[in-house]
Amino acid sequence: MNNKIGLIIKREYTTRVRNRSFILSTILLPLFFFGFIIATTYFSIKSIDKQHIAVRDESGEFKNSLKNDEEITFDFNNNINADNFAGEGYAAFLHIPADFASGKDSVKLISSKQLGIGTEEKVRNVIDDAIRDHTLLEHHIDKKLLDSINNVKPDELYHFSSVIRQGKKTEHSNAGLSYGIGFGSGMLIYITLFIYGAAVMRGVMEEKTNRIAEVIISSVRPFQLMLGKIIGIAAVGITQLLIWFAFIMILLGVASFLLSPETLQHTQSLQTAMSNQGNAETAIQFLSTKETFLSANWALILPCLLFYFLGGYLFYAALFAAVGSVVNEDPQEAQALMLPITMPIILSFIIMVSTAQNPDSKMAVWGSIIPFSSPIVMMARIPGGGVPAWQLALSIILLIGGFILTTYIAGKIYRTGILLYGKKVTLKEMSKWLFRRS
């Protein structure tokens, strides 16, 4: 029996590893990942369009307070008004009334078209700073003293550090790095579940429609065939996963030398007004600091990533194989039967996105324990280092029990479905097969 399963595993592994699509996807995905981060950084810098804003300051208080920078230039030109600013080549017109602080009037930014969210936020911040300084001066704060305070950098006043203390063990915290590793690990498992789960289903469907399964089953039992196919494709997935990880580590190391710290810092400053700031900062941290990246607890992350990848794959691959065994040649039939399998995977991804930002919420805890979602959700929690040992142990035990149960269920369905031709099978009929004696 073991020898027959071994032959099936070997056949599935060698035929897929030698396939041209496997070689191309193994090389291209890390390159796509690398290119995406580089392109995001590059275009965020090159897309800077310096905005010229005309200012009419009727209060006369802001000429020295509205500072120009590399993104925005303020031009105090009394010949420009709300009617002619666009014709004079200005992106917007900023009107500051004489009694702006009375509450009767307001500061207005007038533009002929929608300004970017970053530009509006930048102008608002500059005005806020100017009004704050104006208020302080009204309260007899010395101008030189105020300028000296504004020029002091926070790093010169204090050093901020965040640490995690568990018992006697203390280590530095890096929320951005934990978010990036957790999100990336969960995303990787999410993608590979679909890729290799679908590969199992397609393989079973091809063998069934080509009647190859009939020939193979004359030598091995249906359960042996299903088990060998699942394990063989799992070995392909693990091989590709390890190659991807090594490749990405190399590319990240190369990227940290290609992009200067000044470029990365500038890119980060451009993202402060964007709604997806967390993702941008995570990408920048990955590129800019190899030492920080390597300081993560890889002794725990890598074994867990390997286990949850394999456990999640075994949990779902058996179900994909069961679907493939009952489908004939109708794609719509396959999609309908796949829906109960794919929905938990998609839901797990949604929970994982929230978990990466809030790893200790109730939804995150339960999502990381329940076998249907734990392969994806738990990997979003582990890099942060705050997962209690009992939760990790319970998650592992339930996932092992879960894939044993799904393999048993899939085996019962597979045994009947693989030799069933020309009949459309319903979920109700498949459930009856579970209680049929072998």
Side-chain angles (χ1 to χ4, degrees), residues 189 237-239 241-242 300-312 379:
I189 293 177
I238 292 173
T239 301
L241 187 69
L242 295 175
L300 175 64
I301 295 172
L302 287 180
C304 287
L305 177 61
L306 191 60
F307 170 80
Y308 280 105
F309 167 80
L310 189 58
M379 284 312 304

Side-chain angles (χ1 to χ4, degrees), residues 109 140 199 213 252 303:
L109 181 66
H140 309 294
L252 288 172

Side-chain angles (χ1 to χ4, degrees), residues 300-350:
L300 175 64
I301 295 172
L302 287 180
C304 287
L305 177 61
L306 191 60
F307 170 80
Y308 280 105
F309 167 80
L310 189 58
Y313 167 80
L314 291 174
F315 184 89
Y316 281 103
L319 299 177
F320 277 108
V323 169
S325 69
V326 300
V327 174
N328 292 299
E329 296 181 358
D330 186 2
Q332 293 183 348
E333 182 183 0
Q335 291 176 0
L337 292 174
M338 280 179 61
L339 187 62
I341 303 174
T342 56
M343 285 304 295
I345 301 177
I346 296 172
L347 180 62
S348 300
F349 175 78
I350 296 172

Side-chain angles (χ1 to χ4, degrees), residues 133-347:
D133 292 348
H134 173 75
T135 304
L136 291 172
L137 289 171
E138 280 189 336
H139 287 77
H140 309 294
I141 301 297
D142 184 70
K143 181 69 168 62
K144 291 182 179 180
L145 176 60
L146 180 61
D147 290 340
S148 66
I149 293 173
N150 288 334
N151 291 330
V152 173
K153 297 179 180 179
D155 290 342
E156 296 175 359
L157 297 175
Y158 73 101
H159 174 69
F160 177 82
S161 64
S162 177
V163 298
I164 299 173
R165 179 173 294 174
Q166 296 176 340
K168 295 182 179 180
K169 183 180 179 182
T170 301
E171 59 184 17
H172 287 281
S173 170
N174 192 318
L177 180 67
S178 298
Y179 176 89
I181 296 175
F183 188 91
S185 300
M187 174 67 79
L188 188 62
I189 293 177
Y190 171 78
I191 293 172
T192 51
L193 281 180
F194 274 111
I195 292 175
Y196 294 110
V200 171
M201 187 184 71
R202 285 195 304 269
V204 173
M205 288 174 61
E206 290 172 2
E207 290 179 351
K208 180 179 178 179
T209 54
N210 295 333
R211 301 294 178 102
I212 297 174
E214 295 180 1
V215 178
I216 299 176
I217 288 175
S218 63
S219 301
V220 299
R221 296 174 61 186
F223 183 77
Q224 291 176 275
L225 175 61
M226 185 193 76
L227 195 61
K229 184 173 289 293
I230 290 172
I231 296 174
I233 296 177
V236 176
I238 292 173
T239 301
Q240 194 168 51
L241 187 69
L242 295 175
I243 294 173
W244 279 346
F245 182 79
F247 206 173
I248 288 172
M249 289 290 288
I250 294 170
L251 291 175
L252 288 172
V254 171
S256 66
F257 290 106
L258 292 180
L259 297 177
S260 65
E262 293 77 13
T263 300
L264 295 168
Q265 185 177 4
H266 178 66
T267 305
Q268 188 172 5
S269 67
L270 295 178
Q271 301 294 337
T272 54
M274 304 303 292
S275 59
N276 60 343
Q277 180 183 358
N279 294 339
E281 289 181 352
T282 299
I284 292 166
Q285 285 188 21
F286 266 75
L287 288 172
S288 60
T289 313
K290 289 190 301 179
E291 292 78 8
T292 302
F293 183 74
L294 295 174
S295 68
N297 187 10
W298 293 109
L300 175 64
I301 295 172
L302 287 180
C304 287
L305 177 61
L306 191 60
F307 170 80
Y308 280 105
F309 167 80
L310 189 58
Y313 167 80
L314 291 174
F315 184 89
Y316 281 103
L319 299 177
F320 277 108
V323 169
S325 69
V326 300
V327 174
N328 292 299
E329 296 181 358
D330 186 2
Q332 293 183 348
E333 182 183 0
Q335 291 176 0
L337 292 174
M338 280 179 61
L339 187 62
I341 303 174
T342 56
M343 285 304 295
I345 301 177
I346 296 172
L347 180 62

